[in-house]
Amino acid sequence: MKGFSEQEENESCREMIEDNIAEIGQGVASDAIRHRFFLIFQYEAHMRSKGRSVAAIIQRLNEEADTARRYLDVCELEVLEPRYTDDFILKLLYEIINKRTSRRVKLPEGVFDMTTAVHGIYEE
């Protein structure tokens, strides 16, 4: 990681790498290392789907995700699947953007209802 940090041209990226180095050092010292990986799937033109509709493409990407889950399961790696994906993503973004603050200040429970109302998912 230090090698990547030295070669990184973007100052913000370099700071994030240095922050990760520090956090890993703390994890090693406390024997509490936990790895979090994110897999991102992108629809490619050569991928076969049952049509060109958004629903067909979503179905194809979900099939890719299922295949990845099966492979990770064979490797005995745990794949976390949140009950409410949108809430999970909102919380994750908050934790990534506010690394230090999010450790002591959690998102209020009502924030999930507020974002739902803003995006017009349901009206009461």
Side-chain angles (χ1 to χ4, degrees):
M1 289 177 70
K2 287 185 180 189
F4 285 122
S5 176
E6 292 169 0
Q7 294 176 1
E8 180 58 54
E9 295 176 11
N10 186 306
E11 180 65 28
S12 296
C13 289
R14 202 170 28 254
E15 288 174 8
M16 288 174 64
I17 293 171
E18 294 297 328
D19 185 45
N20 285 336
I21 291 170
E23 285 191 32
I24 289 173
Q26 292 170 359
V28 169
S30 67
D31 290 331
I33 292 183
R34 189 170 141 198
H35 299 280
R36 186 185 291 190
F37 296 94
F38 298 93
L39 299 178
I40 299 171
F41 299 94
Q42 176 177 318
Y43 184 77
E44 302 287 341
H46 68 276
M47 296 173 91
R48 296 179 187 243
S49 64
K50 297 177 183 175
R52 295 278 184 214
S53 69
V54 172
I57 291 171
I58 289 171
Q59 180 182 358
R60 180 65 176 100
L61 290 173
N62 283 331
E63 291 169 3
E64 289 292 318
D66 290 339
T67 301
R69 267 188 220 94
R70 285 194 302 275
Y71 280 116
L72 292 169
D73 187 50
V74 168
C75 297
E76 298 183 6
L77 295 171
E78 180 182 11
V79 177
L80 302 177
E81 295 185 52
R83 184 172 178 188
Y84 300 106
T85 306
D86 292 340
D87 294 354
F88 171 77
I89 292 170
L90 180 62
K91 184 178 174 189
L92 179 65
L93 286 172
Y94 173 72
E95 290 173 357
I96 289 172
I97 293 169
N98 303 293
K99 283 185 179 184
R100 290 182 180 88
T101 304
S102 66
R103 291 181 185 157
R104 56 182 161 66
V105 179
K106 300 298 176 195
L107 281 174
E109 289 300 318
V111 75
F112 303 112
D113 293 331
M114 287 186 293
T115 55
T116 301
V118 166
H119 291 287
I121 295 172
Y122 66 81
E123 295 287 329
E124 290 188 37

